[in-house]
Amino acid sequence: MLRTHTCGELRLEHINQEVTLAGWIQRVRNKGGLIWVDLRDRYGVTQLIFEEGSTEKALLEKASQLGREFVVQATGKVIERTSKNDKIPTGHIEIKADSLQVLNAAKVPPFIIEDETDGGDELRMKYRYLDLRRNVVREKLQLRHRMMQETRRYMDDQQFIEVETPVLIKSTPEGARDFVVPSRVNPGEFYALPQSPQTFKQLLMVSGFDRYFQIVKCFRDEDLRADRQPEFTQIDCEMSFVDQEDILSTFEGLTKHLFNTVKGVQLEEVKRMTYADAMKFYGNDKPDLRFDMKFVELNDLAKGKGFGIFDSAELVVGICAKGAAEYTRKQLDALTEWVKRPQIGAKGLVYVKYNADGSLKSTVDKFYSAEDLTQWAQAFNAEPGDLMLVLSGEEGKVRKQLSELRLKMGEELGLRDRNVFKPLWVVDFPLLEWDEETERFHAMHHPFTSPKREDIPLLETNPGAVRANAYDLVINGVEIGGGSIRIHDRPTQQLMFKHLGFSEEEAQKQFGFLMEAFEYGAPPHGGIAFGFDRLCAIFGGSDSIRDYIAFPKNNSGRDVMIDSPSSIAEDQLEELSIRVQLKK
Amino acid sequence: MLRTHTCGELRLEHINQEVTLAGWIQRVRNKGGLIWVDLRDRYGVTQLIFEEGSTEKALLEKASQLGREFVVQATGKVIERTSKNDKIPTGHIEIKADSLQVLNAAKVPPFIIEDETDGGDELRMKYRYLDLRRNVVREKLQLRHRMMQETRRYMDDQQFIEVETPVLIKSTPEGARDFVVPSRVNPGEFYALPQSPQTFKQLLMVSGFDRYFQIVKCFRDEDLRADRQPEFTQIDCEMSFVDQEDILSTFEGLTKHLFNTVKGVQLEEVKRMTYADAMKFYGNDKPDLRFDMKFVELNDLAKGKGFGIFDSAELVVGICAKGAAEYTRKQLDALTEWVKRPQIGAKGLVYVKYNADGSLKSTVDKFYSAEDLTQWAQAFNAEPGDLMLVLSGEEGKVRKQLSELRLKMGEELGLRDRNVFKPLWVVDFPLLEWDEETERFHAMHHPFTSPKREDIPLLETNPGAVRANAYDLVINGVEIGGGSIRIHDRPTQQLMFKHLGFSEEEAQKQFGFLMEAFEYGAPPHGGIAFGFDRLCAIFGGSDSIRDYIAFPKNNSGRDVMIDSPSSIAEDQLEELSIRVQLKK
């Protein structure tokens, strides 16, 4: 090694030892015949000292010429510092350097490489390898590593076997669009990149693997959105001979293990909520439970009092923001404007202030008496000092709008603390959801999800009411993962495809291999997939590895791997003997 | 869970417990009013018993109708077996079943699902999910899992950070051909799939990650050969502030750790050999050291005695096969035919038998006296009973031919025991190798490998003689991995590209991002990549995951993921709005 110790390792116990360190120059200070140099590596920072008189002149000269980010190797004796720095672990010692070698010089970096930097997003993305030198950025990737290690440790302890499923696969259309990969060895044929290893893992269950997992890259050729990347990482799992409860408890265990070992947080028990309740009380299938602020339906109290907007609405529903009665007129106007933005789409906002003196003041005083509003307050369980916010309209839409407003109020009132974690299992998802565009039912989870046995008869009469053995893990309003108990017999799987509008031929062509496998002794099984990127983000880590290596922050949709867009030149395509034309 | 225990768990200590098991029917035997059922899962086999008289009639009836591979759940009491089976861990107990539920029936499997099967390769590949039920096959994937777990444990202990590098990248041409992936979001642009994360990991060193690793999929769009698949898995590593010795000792440590924890083998110290010696003594840069049989050069002894073939040969070289003097004429003729096959390409084979009685008998007695041959025998260190085999011709070719013959003799003499492991570091590889086809030098490892400092002047005068700081780990004649100390400064990297025949523009266009990064403080660094598939094969596991999930044994080159070739139908391409035409 070009060093005897790292820059984060030396302590008072090393005093008088001759050591060699190597790293990057963080800072050079030169004052009154003394030169201090902060030497940095991944493990920490150690101070080197050069002193006029006791340090050789040539060495002093060399030290004074060091620039930021030079890579050097220095040898010297560990001495005790006269003025100690308690902020860093190596702050009680320094190195009296007696030799110094520049291993590589460095140009002046385009931005300051410290926790607080002057580099804008674009510049830091262009020089991603320099941005990654900053502790705050590098630590996000280290956290990601820790999460992977601990996930594998837990899964291995639970007897799960990690199996690498292929990346170059046969195309099996799922929800999103596959990337396709032309093969030059087999002209005219294509591989697809997997959107998930779903069918592979089900086949592994048919094979008797019993417990499978994989931390695996998945791919979708879709527009990039804030929370979508063309490649993303999943903790993918499947278990045999289980019911839903077994899966929930196993992965509640994993979640707790990760919080405990990686973050030092003792996670509370994961609550359960049905999809129906989540929609009813939070207007959202991934409610943020760091704060309560449940929906209260007001149809009974608010209709029939002459207020036309409410009278004609399918649903009148509101939330009670604790302690927000002191919101100013200006703040309330801003909220009203906010809900009316096209992204939210509400027509307007009704509010009722429950003043500290017990009086009630609303924007609809013309239609509702003090007594009426007192009844509202009772329905909201409101107290003096609270602010009630009410929306109305078509049920589905108004719930979504109020869900957004609830989250905004939570944000404004400081109820969404990043260091508080409220996990939740949302269960009993509908099996099917109606798609307005194609005018047919789609699988809400995927076509392999099993309906609840008691709801199967409803498939013929009221498909939208059929509940699935499907579940999502939600933490702080973020869907971390989801899964289901699968169908494991051919007749049920065929029935499912039929209700999804597949012809028998289509179903056979696309998924015949799976249905055939079910005929050779498929065990009952189910599984789950966690979005590893989102989970890391919840922990404060990188939310996407591409974000940290390849993609610009602005999600412009162009791959800027390293420093330039990823286009293959015309002549290269020629050489590759592949030509691709995109239809208008 | 649908079970209280697995099928591998119950022992005498569980006697009298009421248990529930679930699994697959391995076998049903019905004799004299007794029915025995072997129930199998991943963990083992447990015997269920049903007895006329004490078992309910309906249950007896049900048990008698079970077919192979049915999936069942059975409940009953653990009892001691009257006739114990010491061959399996559960062989001292059985379950007196009192209930039985068929969870899924099974068609008769197309081949027998036992360690010894009647299924041919093609049939087993078609029903891969059934083949994977066989212990011998499943255990290969379990070994692979164990290898991955232990690799990560070791690397984590050594402070390596696993970083997932992107799969969809900008194309950076290396040796083989990239797969290209058209992007629909950015029409006309393409991603490439990485042949290795080489430049990413070097950038991570520039970023100060210090120690990086990854178990990662790599891709090559090449013809499938026995040891090449379009996707393969690598243990990929890079370290900063190291010299070659640090890397060798770290990965010797990993290799020993894996042998110890996964295979229970205490690996001996890994020998070192220069590339020059490997070629000189074994004709091969990956010699199998499970047996000695070194090359002995005979130019001095064999030339000038009137044997024209030797006289005109550039090199006369042979091996001594210990104890093979008793090879019959028929065996020797077969060997001669073997070396003359086009795959080997020798013109003929000269042999000298050192008979047990001390006499020497050769195919070239006409030209060489007994005294001459005695001198040969001394050169070979031969003893009575040995067989000397000699080839001649153009040096490069004859070494390759003799290397093949040496391996064949090792095989025939039983010297290549699969349970003996002889690891070797081959070091001091040439930096460049001459390519006859393109008539220029290519990088033997890759263009980022650093030349030995003392050899740099030779770049101008004798490029083929420049040695690299490059090394390979070889076990039993298989190249497990290779790596190098990298170039870490722009001038040397530019010099390298120049000698590889790149114009300055080309070098800048393709690798400018890396050379630019070197200017901002790149540490000295180096690394290695292990072929994970080959390593698993050495351990007796799966040599390729695709082999076990997706590819047919016969390597026909067609992707038969699950059960059919991976072609996208014309109408699907239409729908994908992509059209690809392949040039003649």
Side-chain angles (χ1 to χ4, degrees), chain A residues 42-43 144 159 164 178 184 190 210 233 246 545 566, chain B residues 1 42-43 144 159 164 178 184 190 210 233 545 566:
Chain A
R42 175 184 125 196
Y43 312 94
R144 204 174 157 94
Q159 309 225 46
E164 294 164 83
D178 281 338
R184 267 171 285 186
F190 294 78
D210 204 71
T233 304
D246 302 311
I545 194 70
S566 156
Chain B
M1 296 288 297
R42 176 185 125 196
Y43 311 92
R144 203 173 159 94
Q159 308 226 46
E164 294 164 82
D178 282 337
R184 267 169 284 185
F190 294 78
D210 204 73
T233 304
I545 193 70
S566 157

PDB file of all heavy atoms in Angstrom, chain A residues 42-43 144 159 164 178 184 190 210 233 246 545 566, chain B residues 1 42-43 144 159 164 178 184 190 210 233 545 566:
ATOM      1  N   ARG A  42     -11.478   8.912   1.819  1.00  0.00           N
ATOM      2  CA  ARG A  42     -12.848   8.497   2.128  1.00  0.00           C
ATOM      3  C   ARG A  42     -13.089   8.360   3.625  1.00  0.00           C
ATOM      4  O   ARG A  42     -14.213   8.496   4.110  1.00  0.00           O
ATOM      5  CB  ARG A  42     -13.079   7.135   1.454  1.00  0.00           C
ATOM      6  CG  ARG A  42     -14.401   6.490   1.744  1.00  0.00           C
ATOM      7  CD  ARG A  42     -14.450   5.109   1.101  1.00  0.00           C
ATOM      8  NE  ARG A  42     -14.770   4.082   2.056  1.00  0.00           N
ATOM      9  CZ  ARG A  42     -14.591   2.777   1.864  1.00  0.00           C
ATOM     10  NH1 ARG A  42     -14.054   2.348   0.737  1.00  0.00           N
ATOM     11  NH2 ARG A  42     -14.910   1.898   2.783  1.00  0.00           N
ATOM     12  N   TYR A  43     -12.004   8.097   4.359  1.00  0.00           N
ATOM     13  CA  TYR A  43     -12.162   7.752   5.774  1.00  0.00           C
ATOM     14  C   TYR A  43     -12.094   8.943   6.710  1.00  0.00           C
ATOM     15  O   TYR A  43     -12.452   8.844   7.874  1.00  0.00           O
ATOM     16  CB  TYR A  43     -11.110   6.701   6.149  1.00  0.00           C
ATOM     17  CG  TYR A  43     -11.059   5.560   5.155  1.00  0.00           C
ATOM     18  CD1 TYR A  43     -10.169   5.568   4.086  1.00  0.00           C
ATOM     19  CD2 TYR A  43     -11.943   4.485   5.264  1.00  0.00           C
ATOM     20  CE1 TYR A  43     -10.144   4.526   3.147  1.00  0.00           C
ATOM     21  CE2 TYR A  43     -11.924   3.451   4.344  1.00  0.00           C
ATOM     22  CZ  TYR A  43     -11.027   3.480   3.282  1.00  0.00           C
ATOM     23  OH  TYR A  43     -11.017   2.460   2.367  1.00  0.00           O
ATOM     24  N   ARG A 144     -26.366   3.211   0.569  1.00  0.00           N
ATOM     25  CA  ARG A 144     -26.958   2.250  -0.368  1.00  0.00           C
ATOM     26  C   ARG A 144     -26.253   0.888  -0.264  1.00  0.00           C
ATOM     27  O   ARG A 144     -26.901  -0.164  -0.243  1.00  0.00           O
ATOM     28  CB  ARG A 144     -26.837   2.812  -1.777  1.00  0.00           C
ATOM     29  CG  ARG A 144     -27.833   2.283  -2.759  1.00  0.00           C
ATOM     30  CD  ARG A 144     -27.725   3.015  -4.083  1.00  0.00           C
ATOM     31  NE  ARG A 144     -28.268   2.190  -5.117  1.00  0.00           N
ATOM     32  CZ  ARG A 144     -29.537   2.265  -5.555  1.00  0.00           C
ATOM     33  NH1 ARG A 144     -30.358   3.155  -5.073  1.00  0.00           N
ATOM     34  NH2 ARG A 144     -29.966   1.448  -6.491  1.00  0.00           N
ATOM     35  N   GLN A 159     -33.274 -17.952   5.092  1.00  0.00           N
ATOM     36  CA  GLN A 159     -33.219 -19.061   4.139  1.00  0.00           C
ATOM     37  C   GLN A 159     -33.673 -18.722   2.728  1.00  0.00           C
ATOM     38  O   GLN A 159     -34.034 -19.623   1.957  1.00  0.00           O
ATOM     39  CB  GLN A 159     -34.017 -20.268   4.658  1.00  0.00           C
ATOM     40  CG  GLN A 159     -33.624 -20.656   6.079  1.00  0.00           C
ATOM     41  CD  GLN A 159     -33.445 -22.157   6.222  1.00  0.00           C
ATOM     42  OE1 GLN A 159     -32.819 -22.793   5.392  1.00  0.00           O
ATOM     43  NE2 GLN A 159     -33.995 -22.707   7.273  1.00  0.00           N
ATOM     44  N   GLU A 164     -29.876 -15.125  -9.685  1.00  0.00           N
ATOM     45  CA  GLU A 164     -29.801 -14.117 -10.739  1.00  0.00           C
ATOM     46  C   GLU A 164     -30.640 -14.568 -11.914  1.00  0.00           C
ATOM     47  O   GLU A 164     -30.313 -15.560 -12.558  1.00  0.00           O
ATOM     48  CB  GLU A 164     -28.365 -13.980 -11.251  1.00  0.00           C
ATOM     49  CG  GLU A 164     -27.358 -13.442 -10.287  1.00  0.00           C
ATOM     50  CD  GLU A 164     -25.962 -13.738 -10.824  1.00  0.00           C
ATOM     51  OE1 GLU A 164     -25.483 -12.964 -11.664  1.00  0.00           O
ATOM     52  OE2 GLU A 164     -25.376 -14.751 -10.407  1.00  0.00           O
ATOM     53  N   ASP A 178     -41.334  -2.364 -22.959  1.00  0.00           N
ATOM     54  CA  ASP A 178     -40.029  -3.026 -22.855  1.00  0.00           C
ATOM     55  C   ASP A 178     -38.990  -2.286 -23.667  1.00  0.00           C
ATOM     56  O   ASP A 178     -39.273  -1.804 -24.759  1.00  0.00           O
ATOM     57  CB  ASP A 178     -40.119  -4.434 -23.483  1.00  0.00           C
ATOM     58  CG  ASP A 178     -40.775  -5.445 -22.575  1.00  0.00           C
ATOM     59  OD1 ASP A 178     -40.783  -5.225 -21.365  1.00  0.00           O
ATOM     60  OD2 ASP A 178     -41.267  -6.462 -23.093  1.00  0.00           O
ATOM     61  N   ARG A 184     -27.274  -9.575 -32.868  1.00  0.00           N
ATOM     62  CA  ARG A 184     -26.567  -9.690 -34.139  1.00  0.00           C
ATOM     63  C   ARG A 184     -26.254 -11.144 -34.468  1.00  0.00           C
ATOM     64  O   ARG A 184     -26.045 -11.512 -35.600  1.00  0.00           O
ATOM     65  CB  ARG A 184     -25.259  -8.895 -34.094  1.00  0.00           C
ATOM     66  CG  ARG A 184     -25.470  -7.494 -34.639  1.00  0.00           C
ATOM     67  CD  ARG A 184     -24.276  -6.646 -34.402  1.00  0.00           C
ATOM     68  NE  ARG A 184     -24.211  -6.257 -33.009  1.00  0.00           N
ATOM     69  CZ  ARG A 184     -23.303  -5.402 -32.537  1.00  0.00           C
ATOM     70  NH1 ARG A 184     -22.392  -4.889 -33.321  1.00  0.00           N
ATOM     71  NH2 ARG A 184     -23.320  -5.071 -31.266  1.00  0.00           N
ATOM     72  N   PHE A 190     -34.806 -10.514 -31.289  1.00  0.00           N
ATOM     73  CA  PHE A 190     -34.619  -9.479 -30.286  1.00  0.00           C
ATOM     74  C   PHE A 190     -34.695 -10.082 -28.901  1.00  0.00           C
ATOM     75  O   PHE A 190     -35.451 -11.014 -28.662  1.00  0.00           O
ATOM     76  CB  PHE A 190     -35.740  -8.444 -30.386  1.00  0.00           C
ATOM     77  CG  PHE A 190     -35.715  -7.670 -31.650  1.00  0.00           C
ATOM     78  CD1 PHE A 190     -36.183  -8.220 -32.821  1.00  0.00           C
ATOM     79  CD2 PHE A 190     -35.193  -6.390 -31.673  1.00  0.00           C
ATOM     80  CE1 PHE A 190     -36.135  -7.510 -34.005  1.00  0.00           C
ATOM     81  CE2 PHE A 190     -35.143  -5.678 -32.843  1.00  0.00           C
ATOM     82  CZ  PHE A 190     -35.613  -6.242 -34.020  1.00  0.00           C
ATOM     83  N   ASP A 210     -38.770 -22.501  -2.920  1.00  0.00           N
ATOM     84  CA  ASP A 210     -39.369 -22.213  -1.621  1.00  0.00           C
ATOM     85  C   ASP A 210     -39.223 -20.740  -1.214  1.00  0.00           C
ATOM     86  O   ASP A 210     -40.204 -20.098  -0.872  1.00  0.00           O
ATOM     87  CB  ASP A 210     -38.780 -23.112  -0.533  1.00  0.00           C
ATOM     88  CG  ASP A 210     -39.723 -23.261   0.630  1.00  0.00           C
ATOM     89  OD1 ASP A 210     -40.742 -23.930   0.450  1.00  0.00           O
ATOM     90  OD2 ASP A 210     -39.472 -22.661   1.701  1.00  0.00           O
ATOM     91  N   THR A 233     -33.796  -0.329  -9.343  1.00  0.00           N
ATOM     92  CA  THR A 233     -33.397  -1.528  -8.603  1.00  0.00           C
ATOM     93  C   THR A 233     -34.515  -1.967  -7.665  1.00  0.00           C
ATOM     94  O   THR A 233     -35.141  -1.134  -7.026  1.00  0.00           O
ATOM     95  CB  THR A 233     -32.109  -1.237  -7.812  1.00  0.00           C
ATOM     96  OG1 THR A 233     -31.116  -0.772  -8.717  1.00  0.00           O
ATOM     97  CG2 THR A 233     -31.594  -2.477  -7.116  1.00  0.00           C
ATOM     98  N   ASP A 246     -47.935 -14.310   6.307  1.00  0.00           N
ATOM     99  CA  ASP A 246     -46.521 -14.723   6.364  1.00  0.00           C
ATOM    100  C   ASP A 246     -45.639 -13.737   5.614  1.00  0.00           C
ATOM    101  O   ASP A 246     -44.524 -13.434   6.032  1.00  0.00           O
ATOM    102  CB  ASP A 246     -46.348 -16.115   5.751  1.00  0.00           C
ATOM    103  CG  ASP A 246     -47.198 -17.163   6.455  1.00  0.00           C
ATOM    104  OD1 ASP A 246     -47.145 -17.205   7.696  1.00  0.00           O
ATOM    105  OD2 ASP A 246     -47.929 -17.889   5.768  1.00  0.00           O
ATOM    106  N   ILE A 545     -29.465   5.249  -8.518  1.00  0.00           N
ATOM    107  CA  ILE A 545     -28.046   5.156  -8.793  1.00  0.00           C
ATOM    108  C   ILE A 545     -27.717   5.916 -10.065  1.00  0.00           C
ATOM    109  O   ILE A 545     -26.663   6.531 -10.183  1.00  0.00           O
ATOM    110  CB  ILE A 545     -27.630   3.681  -8.877  1.00  0.00           C
ATOM    111  CG1 ILE A 545     -26.136   3.575  -8.823  1.00  0.00           C
ATOM    112  CG2 ILE A 545     -28.196   3.020 -10.101  1.00  0.00           C
ATOM    113  CD1 ILE A 545     -25.590   3.901  -7.486  1.00  0.00           C
ATOM    114  N   SER A 566     -25.869   9.914 -25.498  1.00  0.00           N
ATOM    115  CA  SER A 566     -25.518   8.565 -25.923  1.00  0.00           C
ATOM    116  C   SER A 566     -26.074   8.269 -27.304  1.00  0.00           C
ATOM    117  O   SER A 566     -26.958   7.455 -27.461  1.00  0.00           O
ATOM    118  CB  SER A 566     -26.097   7.600 -24.908  1.00  0.00           C
ATOM    119  OG  SER A 566     -26.285   6.356 -25.440  1.00  0.00           O
TER     120      SER A 566
ATOM    121  N   MET B   1     -48.151 -19.756   7.646  1.00  0.00           N
ATOM    122  CA  MET B   1     -47.556 -20.765   6.778  1.00  0.00           C
ATOM    123  C   MET B   1     -48.491 -21.969   6.651  1.00  0.00           C
ATOM    124  O   MET B   1     -49.189 -22.318   7.582  1.00  0.00           O
ATOM    125  CB  MET B   1     -46.215 -21.249   7.364  1.00  0.00           C
ATOM    126  CG  MET B   1     -45.138 -20.200   7.455  1.00  0.00           C
ATOM    127  SD  MET B   1     -44.447 -19.712   5.860  1.00  0.00           S
ATOM    128  CE  MET B   1     -43.708 -21.254   5.289  1.00  0.00           C
ATOM    129  N   ARG B  42     -37.524 -28.335  -0.678  1.00  0.00           N
ATOM    130  CA  ARG B  42     -36.127 -27.950  -0.863  1.00  0.00           C
ATOM    131  C   ARG B  42     -35.231 -28.452   0.261  1.00  0.00           C
ATOM    132  O   ARG B  42     -34.033 -28.649   0.084  1.00  0.00           O
ATOM    133  CB  ARG B  42     -36.077 -26.417  -0.912  1.00  0.00           C
ATOM    134  CG  ARG B  42     -34.712 -25.827  -1.015  1.00  0.00           C
ATOM    135  CD  ARG B  42     -34.798 -24.293  -0.931  1.00  0.00           C
ATOM    136  NE  ARG B  42     -33.965 -23.763   0.107  1.00  0.00           N
ATOM    137  CZ  ARG B  42     -34.051 -22.541   0.604  1.00  0.00           C
ATOM    138  NH1 ARG B  42     -34.986 -21.714   0.163  1.00  0.00           N
ATOM    139  NH2 ARG B  42     -33.248 -22.130   1.552  1.00  0.00           N
ATOM    140  N   TYR B  43     -35.850 -28.656   1.437  1.00  0.00           N
ATOM    141  CA  TYR B  43     -35.044 -28.933   2.627  1.00  0.00           C
ATOM    142  C   TYR B  43     -34.818 -30.416   2.878  1.00  0.00           C
ATOM    143  O   TYR B  43     -33.959 -30.776   3.662  1.00  0.00           O
ATOM    144  CB  TYR B  43     -35.692 -28.263   3.846  1.00  0.00           C
ATOM    145  CG  TYR B  43     -36.051 -26.812   3.580  1.00  0.00           C
ATOM    146  CD1 TYR B  43     -37.322 -26.461   3.103  1.00  0.00           C
ATOM    147  CD2 TYR B  43     -35.109 -25.805   3.755  1.00  0.00           C
ATOM    148  CE1 TYR B  43     -37.635 -25.129   2.834  1.00  0.00           C
ATOM    149  CE2 TYR B  43     -35.421 -24.471   3.483  1.00  0.00           C
ATOM    150  CZ  TYR B  43     -36.684 -24.150   3.020  1.00  0.00           C
ATOM    151  OH  TYR B  43     -36.994 -22.833   2.741  1.00  0.00           O
ATOM    152  N   ARG B 144     -24.192 -21.134  -5.840  1.00  0.00           N
ATOM    153  CA  ARG B 144     -23.975 -19.801  -6.416  1.00  0.00           C
ATOM    154  C   ARG B 144     -24.415 -18.706  -5.430  1.00  0.00           C
ATOM    155  O   ARG B 144     -23.731 -17.707  -5.245  1.00  0.00           O
ATOM    156  CB  ARG B 144     -24.782 -19.714  -7.717  1.00  0.00           C
ATOM    157  CG  ARG B 144     -24.284 -18.684  -8.683  1.00  0.00           C
ATOM    158  CD  ARG B 144     -25.040 -18.799  -9.996  1.00  0.00           C
ATOM    159  NE  ARG B 144     -24.919 -17.551 -10.717  1.00  0.00           N
ATOM    160  CZ  ARG B 144     -23.988 -17.301 -11.643  1.00  0.00           C
ATOM    161  NH1 ARG B 144     -23.148 -18.234 -12.003  1.00  0.00           N
ATOM    162  NH2 ARG B 144     -23.922 -16.125 -12.225  1.00  0.00           N
ATOM    163  N   GLN B 159     -13.781  -3.366   3.760  1.00  0.00           N
ATOM    164  CA  GLN B 159     -14.133  -1.955   3.517  1.00  0.00           C
ATOM    165  C   GLN B 159     -14.404  -1.607   2.062  1.00  0.00           C
ATOM    166  O   GLN B 159     -14.353  -0.429   1.682  1.00  0.00           O
ATOM    167  CB  GLN B 159     -13.061  -1.013   4.075  1.00  0.00           C
ATOM    168  CG  GLN B 159     -12.751  -1.311   5.532  1.00  0.00           C
ATOM    169  CD  GLN B 159     -12.711  -0.044   6.352  1.00  0.00           C
ATOM    170  OE1 GLN B 159     -13.577   0.811   6.250  1.00  0.00           O
ATOM    171  NE2 GLN B 159     -11.688   0.105   7.183  1.00  0.00           N
ATOM    172  N   GLU B 164     -23.668   0.103  -7.561  1.00  0.00           N
ATOM    173  CA  GLU B 164     -24.317  -0.367  -8.787  1.00  0.00           C
ATOM    174  C   GLU B 164     -24.043   0.635  -9.895  1.00  0.00           C
ATOM    175  O   GLU B 164     -24.501   1.770  -9.823  1.00  0.00           O
ATOM    176  CB  GLU B 164     -25.828  -0.423  -8.612  1.00  0.00           C
ATOM    177  CG  GLU B 164     -26.361  -1.413  -7.631  1.00  0.00           C
ATOM    178  CD  GLU B 164     -27.808  -1.059  -7.308  1.00  0.00           C
ATOM    179  OE1 GLU B 164     -28.693  -1.416  -8.082  1.00  0.00           O
ATOM    180  OE2 GLU B 164     -28.036  -0.384  -6.288  1.00  0.00           O
ATOM    181  N   ASP B 178     -20.720  -4.429 -28.569  1.00  0.00           N
ATOM    182  CA  ASP B 178     -21.760  -4.027 -27.630  1.00  0.00           C
ATOM    183  C   ASP B 178     -23.133  -4.463 -28.132  1.00  0.00           C
ATOM    184  O   ASP B 178     -23.403  -4.395 -29.323  1.00  0.00           O
ATOM    185  CB  ASP B 178     -21.827  -2.486 -27.552  1.00  0.00           C
ATOM    186  CG  ASP B 178     -20.726  -1.891 -26.709  1.00  0.00           C
ATOM    187  OD1 ASP B 178     -20.191  -2.601 -25.846  1.00  0.00           O
ATOM    188  OD2 ASP B 178     -20.417  -0.706 -26.911  1.00  0.00           O
ATOM    189  N   ARG B 184     -36.847   4.777 -27.058  1.00  0.00           N
ATOM    190  CA  ARG B 184     -38.024   5.355 -27.699  1.00  0.00           C
ATOM    191  C   ARG B 184     -38.294   6.756 -27.204  1.00  0.00           C
ATOM    192  O   ARG B 184     -38.946   7.551 -27.841  1.00  0.00           O
ATOM    193  CB  ARG B 184     -39.255   4.489 -27.433  1.00  0.00           C
ATOM    194  CG  ARG B 184     -39.465   3.482 -28.545  1.00  0.00           C
ATOM    195  CD  ARG B 184     -40.497   2.476 -28.160  1.00  0.00           C
ATOM    196  NE  ARG B 184     -39.952   1.515 -27.211  1.00  0.00           N
ATOM    197  CZ  ARG B 184     -40.615   0.463 -26.785  1.00  0.00           C
ATOM    198  NH1 ARG B 184     -41.834   0.235 -27.195  1.00  0.00           N
ATOM    199  NH2 ARG B 184     -40.049  -0.371 -25.930  1.00  0.00           N
ATOM    200  N   PHE B 190     -29.360   5.709 -28.763  1.00  0.00           N
ATOM    201  CA  PHE B 190     -29.198   4.325 -28.334  1.00  0.00           C
ATOM    202  C   PHE B 190     -28.439   4.275 -27.023  1.00  0.00           C
ATOM    203  O   PHE B 190     -27.553   5.086 -26.772  1.00  0.00           O
ATOM    204  CB  PHE B 190     -28.352   3.539 -29.344  1.00  0.00           C
ATOM    205  CG  PHE B 190     -29.013   3.377 -30.662  1.00  0.00           C
ATOM    206  CD1 PHE B 190     -29.042   4.426 -31.560  1.00  0.00           C
ATOM    207  CD2 PHE B 190     -29.641   2.196 -30.983  1.00  0.00           C
ATOM    208  CE1 PHE B 190     -29.671   4.290 -32.777  1.00  0.00           C
ATOM    209  CE2 PHE B 190     -30.269   2.050 -32.196  1.00  0.00           C
ATOM    210  CZ  PHE B 190     -30.288   3.102 -33.101  1.00  0.00           C
ATOM    211  N   ASP B 210     -11.986   4.746  -3.030  1.00  0.00           N
ATOM    212  CA  ASP B 210     -10.911   3.990  -2.394  1.00  0.00           C
ATOM    213  C   ASP B 210     -10.999   2.486  -2.615  1.00  0.00           C
ATOM    214  O   ASP B 210     -10.029   1.862  -3.042  1.00  0.00           O
ATOM    215  CB  ASP B 210     -10.853   4.282  -0.888  1.00  0.00           C
ATOM    216  CG  ASP B 210      -9.473   4.009  -0.325  1.00  0.00           C
ATOM    217  OD1 ASP B 210      -8.559   4.820  -0.607  1.00  0.00           O
ATOM    218  OD2 ASP B 210      -9.282   2.989   0.363  1.00  0.00           O
ATOM    219  N   THR B 233     -21.614 -12.899 -15.400  1.00  0.00           N
ATOM    220  CA  THR B 233     -21.525 -12.186 -14.126  1.00  0.00           C
ATOM    221  C   THR B 233     -20.078 -12.070 -13.692  1.00  0.00           C
ATOM    222  O   THR B 233     -19.305 -13.017 -13.819  1.00  0.00           O
ATOM    223  CB  THR B 233     -22.358 -12.925 -13.058  1.00  0.00           C
ATOM    224  OG1 THR B 233     -23.690 -13.045 -13.534  1.00  0.00           O
ATOM    225  CG2 THR B 233     -22.377 -12.157 -11.752  1.00  0.00           C
ATOM    226  N   ILE B 545     -25.705 -18.729 -15.181  1.00  0.00           N
ATOM    227  CA  ILE B 545     -27.084 -18.691 -14.737  1.00  0.00           C
ATOM    228  C   ILE B 545     -28.018 -18.845 -15.924  1.00  0.00           C
ATOM    229  O   ILE B 545     -29.066 -19.470 -15.821  1.00  0.00           O
ATOM    230  CB  ILE B 545     -27.333 -17.378 -13.973  1.00  0.00           C
ATOM    231  CG1 ILE B 545     -28.642 -17.465 -13.234  1.00  0.00           C
ATOM    232  CG2 ILE B 545     -27.307 -16.177 -14.890  1.00  0.00           C
ATOM    233  CD1 ILE B 545     -28.573 -18.412 -12.097  1.00  0.00           C
ATOM    234  N   SER B 566     -36.931 -16.107 -28.920  1.00  0.00           N
ATOM    235  CA  SER B 566     -37.291 -14.755 -28.530  1.00  0.00           C
ATOM    236  C   SER B 566     -37.373 -13.853 -29.738  1.00  0.00           C
ATOM    237  O   SER B 566     -36.555 -12.976 -29.940  1.00  0.00           O
ATOM    238  CB  SER B 566     -36.207 -14.256 -27.586  1.00  0.00           C
ATOM    239  OG  SER B 566     -36.157 -12.874 -27.563  1.00  0.00           O
TER     240      SER B 566
END
